[in-house]
Amino acid sequence: MARLSANLIVTLLVASFASQALAGFMGGASTFAPAGAAIVAKWNKAKPGFSQDVVAYDSVGSGTGITGFNSGTYLIAVSDDPMTAAQEGAGFSASPGKITVPLCVSTFGFFYNGKPGLVLTATQSYQIYSGTIATWAGVAGASAKGLTGAITRVARSDKSGSTAIVKTMWSKAATGFSGATDGVALTFDGLSKVEGTSAVCAAVLATKGAIGYAFTGGCSTVYNKRNPNLKNRVIASLKNANGVAVAPPSWSPGSALTGSPPAADGSWAAVDFIWKAGAKTPPMVSMEFAFIRKSLTGVTGGKIAKAFMQYMIGSFAKGGYGFSATPAAWKSKSITMVNAIAADK
């Protein structure tokens, strides 16, 4: 009887270990949170070739995700932007090095609480956030959209990938934007700040006359749940590099992705998809970039990390979750590089 009990205990311990979730597996951009959670859930259900689950996607923001990747907290990180030179030279990104995978295409815009049809220029959007335009009376056509009185500006943190994307657009197109020398534009002093795409959209929806910026696919989901009649129409049309006012779903994010695919090994820092020419090109196009080490030899969970990255690339073969697909050539290159990762644990 004692022997049977011991065997039973061993069996239970082995079963417990086999179903144990990996800690600190993946985290990063809040823009990617709904998609990341959905893909993780599908993986956890299927566990293709593995007995372990992966933890839920940690929505901690792009900067925190990259810091965690470089320190070893995360085996995979996701960001709205490629790494900076300083980030690439730190921690595991420097050694053994990292692979950058462009998972999917994301578009960003300005959401407001009013009637559909508001048109903004890049300069107007900057003037709203810098405080030069403090009331909707300063925006032509706003009153017809039910926008009157003081403007409530909702912003993300200064380290947010969404904030970086908006500022990049302003640096290219907004008259008067002076970057680091402009304290208000750089730090968003005195503004209402919230973290996460859903939080931005909820904050805008809660206050009449509010405006915020976020990933358009994510905000559409939030608004549709609260008011199905609004759909994408609460996104302001923004005049693009061709002077054409565009808004989803009529714009074409893929039109910004021209030229040969950049190397998926870190040279993405030189690539910029913001304010590209094209009649239907959105002013703010970005990627969701996923980072993984070039070598996972000796790293616990390395085999799962490699397989999961392959699984994520396949999950976005045709876009989805509010994102658009990347060009096929980019996917092919990413798959080749991920397949070459050495992983033994």
Side-chain angles (χ1 to χ4, degrees):
M1 182 62 116
R3 183 177 180 81
L4 289 174
S5 298
N7 287 341
L8 178 60
I9 291 172
V10 170
T11 299
L12 291 173
L13 286 173
V14 170
S16 175
F17 177 80
S19 62
Q20 173 181 314
L22 290 174
F25 185 77
M26 179 174 68
S30 65
T31 299
F32 191 72
I39 293 170
V40 164
K42 288 181 179 179
W43 169 277
N44 287 344
K45 184 176 181 179
K47 291 188 285 290
F50 297 93
S51 59
Q52 288 173 299
D53 288 350
V54 296
V55 298
Y57 177 77
D58 291 343
S59 178
V60 294
S62 297
T64 301
I66 290 173
T67 298
F69 175 81
N70 282 338
S71 69
T73 300
Y74 295 121
L75 293 179
I76 297 174
V78 179
S79 172
D80 297 330
D81 292 297
M83 288 192 189
T84 64
Q87 290 168 332
E88 288 184 352
F92 287 107
S93 288
S95 179
K98 57 105 175 73
I99 292 172
T100 303
V101 175
L103 282 176
C104 48
V105 183
S106 50
T107 54
F108 291 75
F110 293 96
F111 292 74
Y112 63 95
N113 191 331
K115 298 176 182 178
L118 181 69
V119 177
L120 293 174
T121 66
T123 297
Q124 283 176 319
S125 67
Y126 164 64
Q127 289 174 338
I128 286 171
Y129 273 86
S130 65
T132 303
I133 297 178
T135 68
W136 285 111
V139 179
S143 61
K145 308 306 175 186
L147 299 168
T148 59
I151 300 174
T152 299
R153 299 161 290 167
V154 178
R156 293 287 305 279
S157 73
D158 304 310
K159 295 182 180 180
S160 162
S162 300
T163 295
I165 288 167
V166 171
K167 288 180 179 176
T168 299
M169 187 271 290
W170 286 340
S171 72
K172 294 173 177 289
T175 301
F177 180 73
S178 51
T181 62
D182 186 333
V184 174
L186 185 66
T187 63
F188 291 130
D189 291 337
L191 301 191
S192 171
K193 294 181 182 179
V194 297
E195 288 309 316
T197 300
S198 296
V200 170
C201 297
V204 171
L205 189 62
T207 305
K208 188 69 174 178
I211 188 170
Y213 55 86
F215 164 52
T216 56
C219 272
S220 297
T221 300
V222 173
Y223 274 87
N224 289 345
K225 287 181 179 178
R226 299 281 289 274
N227 187 340
N229 294 322
L230 290 175
K231 296 186 178 179
N232 285 330
R233 294 178 297 171
V234 292
I235 303 172
S237 293
L238 194 63
K239 288 190 176 180
N240 63 13
N242 284 39
V244 179
V246 293
S250 61
W251 63 20
S252 177
S255 60
L257 313 180
T258 57
S260 301
D265 59 0
S267 59
W268 284 89
V271 180
D272 186 356
F273 306 112
I274 298 174
W275 206 251
K276 293 291 187 179
K280 293 186 177 181
T281 304
M284 294 182 285
V285 176
S286 186
M287 293 280 177
E288 296 305 302
F289 297 95
F291 309 108
I292 188 170
R293 299 180 205 176
K294 285 185 176 179
S295 174
L296 289 165
T297 300
V299 178
T300 299
K303 283 186 175 181
I304 295 180
K306 175 181 176 178
F308 187 78
M309 182 67 86
Q310 294 167 326
Y311 186 78
M312 279 206 298
I313 294 172
S315 296
F316 286 103
K318 296 182 179 180
Y321 306 101
F323 297 95
S324 299
T326 59
W330 298 12
K331 279 189 175 62
S332 177
K333 189 164 191 175
S334 296
I335 290 170
T336 298
M337 296 190 75
V338 172
N339 287 350
I341 295 173
D344 58 2
K345 296 179 70 176

